[in-house]
Amino acid sequence: MRGKRKVDEKAGALWRMPAWPAAVVALLASLVVVSSPASAADLPYGPYTCASGYVWREAYSGDQVCVTPAIRTQTATENALGPSRREPNGGPYGPDTCKQGYVWRETRPSDRVCVPPASRDQAYSDNSSAALRLADPGATPHGGVSVSTSLNQLGGRIFANGSGLTPNGTVRFFAVGIGTTGPYGLGTLTADASGNLPGWQYVADVWCRSYQTGPATIVVLDVKTGLVTTAGTTTAFLHCG
């Protein structure tokens, strides 16, 4: 799919209420959530709809990491030139050994398209920013990681465990739906050699926000693949004392 991915704005419904007592009206007003996360059905291209100005990279079938249009064009060119940049008779890294001056692109571990080193750096940078470039990262499906929260007087402490991650890969955590302009960065963990986060590993301490009206969604980014998923919710941001 080409062109910019845009989010349809969902207008809130206007309720016509009878003349209820002022105390009841005030109570209802206090329960209103100013903005609610979009669901995948609200997004024109599904849960991985890109924010305005970004498009899917399409380095391989199913690659939905959001990049600039220029990088998608560059990626298509690299795919076309890749075979000519391999050693025709293979080499120390097998049949996909690159010619001198080229390296594997590694948009995911199995991506062995030969590119200049700057393109591999670009792929890593784009993967690392994947959660920040989605129209609503909180609308992505639940992945193999789950979170739990230990509440305290100031907010809470978030822990994670799970599987299905890139072995030995970096895993970044974000919170969405806490009134910020974008995903709020939490902690970073490293998956083990089997792609697991064993036990309940500490992610971050978070503090309550007086304006918070509902749970925050925790988003997980597998940096080596750029895959963004959700891991559940936390009430730590609204737990004030």
Side-chain angles (χ1 to χ4, degrees), residues 223-239:
V223 174
K224 283 195 173 182
T225 62
L227 179 62
V228 180
T229 56
T230 50
T233 60
T234 180
T235 58
F237 290 99
L238 54 83
H239 184 72

Side-chain angles (χ1 to χ4, degrees), residues 111-179:
D111 178 7
R112 296 187 173 184
V113 173
C114 295
V115 297
S119 291
R120 181 169 65 184
D121 293 342
Q122 180 69 51
Y124 180 83
S125 176
D126 289 327
N127 281 7
S128 297
S129 300
L132 307 177
R133 296 174 176 178
L134 290 171
D136 183 3
T140 57
H142 195 290
V145 176
S146 296
V147 293
S148 67
T149 303
S150 174
L151 298 175
N152 56 50
Q153 290 184 335
L154 298 178
R157 176 168 289 186
I158 298 173
F159 300 86
N161 77 351
S163 60
L165 301 162
T166 303
N168 303 311
T170 300
V171 185
R172 298 179 64 188
F173 291 82
F174 302 86
V176 297
I178 61 170

Side-chain angles (χ1 to χ4, degrees), residues 19-187:
W20 291 341
V24 175
V25 174
L27 174 62
L28 289 173
S30 70
L31 297 177
V32 172
V33 177
V34 175
S35 62
S36 58
S39 68
D42 297 321
L43 301 170
Y45 301 101
Y48 294 100
T49 296
C50 296
S52 180
Y54 295 99
V55 295
W56 291 335
R57 180 172 55 195
E58 299 177 343
Y60 52 87
S61 177
D63 178 20
Q64 295 179 319
V65 170
C66 297
V67 298
T68 64
I71 293 300
R72 181 170 68 181
T73 298
Q74 173 185 303
T75 300
T77 299
E78 290 168 351
N79 284 353
L81 294 176
S84 68
R85 294 169 169 175
R86 293 194 202 112
E87 289 289 355
N89 299 315
Y93 302 104
D96 295 326
T97 298
C98 297
K99 292 180 178 178
Q100 187 173 3
Y102 296 100
V103 295
W104 292 335
R105 184 172 55 196
E106 297 181 343
T107 57
R108 59 177 178 175
S110 61
D111 178 7
R112 296 187 173 184
V113 173
C114 295
V115 297
S119 291
R120 181 169 65 184
D121 293 342
Q122 180 69 51
Y124 180 83
S125 176
D126 289 327
N127 281 7
S128 297
S129 300
L132 307 177
R133 296 174 176 178
L134 290 171
D136 183 3
T140 57
H142 195 290
V145 176
S146 296
V147 293
S148 67
T149 303
S150 174
L151 298 175
N152 56 50
Q153 290 184 335
L154 298 178
R157 176 168 289 186
I158 298 173
F159 300 86
N161 77 351
S163 60
L165 301 162
T166 303
N168 303 311
T170 300
V171 185
R172 298 179 64 188
F173 291 82
F174 302 86
V176 297
I178 61 170
T180 60
T181 57
Y184 176 80
L186 299 174

